[in-house]
Each structure stands twice: as C-alpha cells, then as structure tokens.
Amino acid sequence: MIPAAAPHRVILVGLPGSGKSTVGRQLGRRLGLPFNDSDHVIEQRIGCSIRDYFEREGEAAFRDVEESVIRELTQGPSCVLASGGGAVLRPANRQCLRDAGHVIYLRSSPEEVFRRLRHDRNRPLLQVTDPLGRLRSLYEERDPLYRETAHFVIETGRPSVSRLVNMVLMQLELAAVIPARP
Ligand code: S3P
C-alpha cells in the first residue's frame, strides 16, 4: 500500500505494446490504488473505438480529447495511470504527467513491440504496410520524450508481467516512494 502521506499517483509511459495496461492493472492491485487507462477513458468519452475515431476525425482531434482526459486524470484522485503511447507528444501533457506523480517509462525496443503487436488491429498508427518501420520511427521520435517525462526508466526486455511489476515496486522502494517490503 502507498502510505497516505506519499504522493498518490504512479504513471506509466512508453510505446504502444510496452505493457503499460497489463503492468498498471497489477501494480494498482499491489499498491491498493485504483487503475486508470487513459485510452479506456477516451473511448468511453468518444463513444467508439480509438481506431474508428482516428479514421473519422483524424489524429489531431484524437489528441485534443487525449489532452483533456490526461488533464482530468492527473488532477483526479490517487491512482495508477497507464497513458496512451502518444500522450507525451504534447508538451502540456508531459508537464501534467510529470507533475502529477511518479512517472515510469517502460522502455521496449521497436523490435520487441513488433513481436507483441504484429497481429494487433486496434492501434491505428500500426495499420500500415511496414509496422516495424513505423515503430522504429515512433521510437526515434518518442524515446527522448518518454525520458524527459519519466522519473524512472525500466527496461522491459522479455520478463513476465509479475517480474515487471516487481521491478517497478523495487524502483519505488529504492526511491523511498513506498516503504521497503520485509
Ligand atoms: C497511440 C497509442 C495508443 C492510443 C492511440 C495512439 C500512439 O495507446 O492512445 O492508438 O500514438 O502511440 P497504447 O500505447 O495504449 O497502445
């Protein structure tokens, strides 16, 4: 459990498919905090899938909704928050996320992400003829932005979700954000 006096949010950033939602959900359970997924909140708000919204309204309109959802979630109650992979593109979001809690960058290489997402049909940015090439350019553009936003970087590699969760917890313990486990 996060003690009441400690800051109340743990925020995950990283490429699509880096494990933000799966790790975030378990982390929430372990910390006794509710879990929020900004993509999920966005889909509730727009009333359709992100992929459909991208097709209909375009990326800029999606980023506007994302910005307002990020603002609300980072001002709302304590939680573990998984942010969308492109949330760091806007400086206002980077600032909001960094100020709102402990930000963890789950760093995955484009090749690892490609392995996990090669059959994915939901992520609009990856519905292209060369998804690996797209992931490489997303990584080039975003890795510095994830680093700028995050307080900690965790290399995801290929460990299990529970090992990743433990790595995050250990990092939070080392930084004295949560008490050391016996
Ligand atoms: C996006 C990542 C997605 C989602 C949208 C755009 C991106 O979130 O917000 O499809 O720009 O990388 P995940 O990182 O949860 O897949």
Side-chain angles (χ1 to χ4, degrees):
M1 289 269 184
I2 281 199
H8 298 296
R9 294 185 205 88
V10 177
I11 297 164
L12 301 172
V13 300
L15 280 180
S18 56
K20 298 172 301 248
S21 303
T22 19
V23 170
R25 197 167 292 111
Q26 279 202 24
L27 198 56
R29 256 183 245 130
R30 296 279 294 273
L31 292 170
L33 289 175
F35 170 67
N36 281 318
D37 184 326
S38 65
D39 285 342
H40 187 68
V41 176
I42 291 170
E43 288 190 327
Q44 285 175 333
R45 191 143 314 169
I46 59 187
C48 64
S49 71
I50 289 177
R51 185 177 173 180
D52 288 348
Y53 195 78
F54 250 70
E55 268 167 33
R56 227 180 37 231
E57 310 287 338
E59 180 170 351
F62 167 77
R63 298 292 174 207
D64 288 339
V65 183
E66 182 176 55
E67 184 173 337
S68 75
V69 166
I70 293 284
R71 198 180 319 113
E72 283 168 36
L73 292 175
T74 51
Q75 287 167 5
S78 304
C79 66
V80 172
L81 170 62
S83 61
V88 297
L89 290 171
R90 291 197 172 175
N93 290 347
R94 297 202 290 279
Q95 191 72 51
C96 261
L97 292 167
R98 196 171 163 90
D99 291 348
H102 302 281
V103 183
I104 292 157
Y105 170 22
L106 295 182
R107 199 208 70 92
S108 302
S109 69
E111 292 75 18
E112 278 160 10
V113 169
F114 178 68
R115 254 196 315 270
R116 293 184 208 134
L117 292 188
R118 63 190 185 278
H119 302 302
D120 180 276
R121 295 290 166 265
N122 295 322
R123 288 167 168 95
L125 292 178
L126 302 183
Q127 309 313 307
V128 290
T129 44
D130 178 16
L132 178 57
R134 169 61 70 86
L135 280 166
R136 286 184 174 136
S137 62
L138 290 179
Y139 179 83
E140 284 293 304
E141 179 189 16
R142 294 177 181 180
D143 178 66
L145 303 178
Y146 295 134
R147 289 179 189 278
E148 178 190 322
T149 310
H151 300 95
F152 311 110
V153 181
I154 303 260
E155 298 289 329
T156 63
R158 287 195 186 190
S160 64
V161 173
S162 55
R163 273 205 66 204
L164 271 177
V165 170
N166 280 327
M167 284 161 77
V168 174
L169 289 171
M170 208 181 300
Q171 192 65 66
L172 293 171
E173 282 176 18
L174 285 172
V177 173
I178 56 172
R181 286 163 294 174

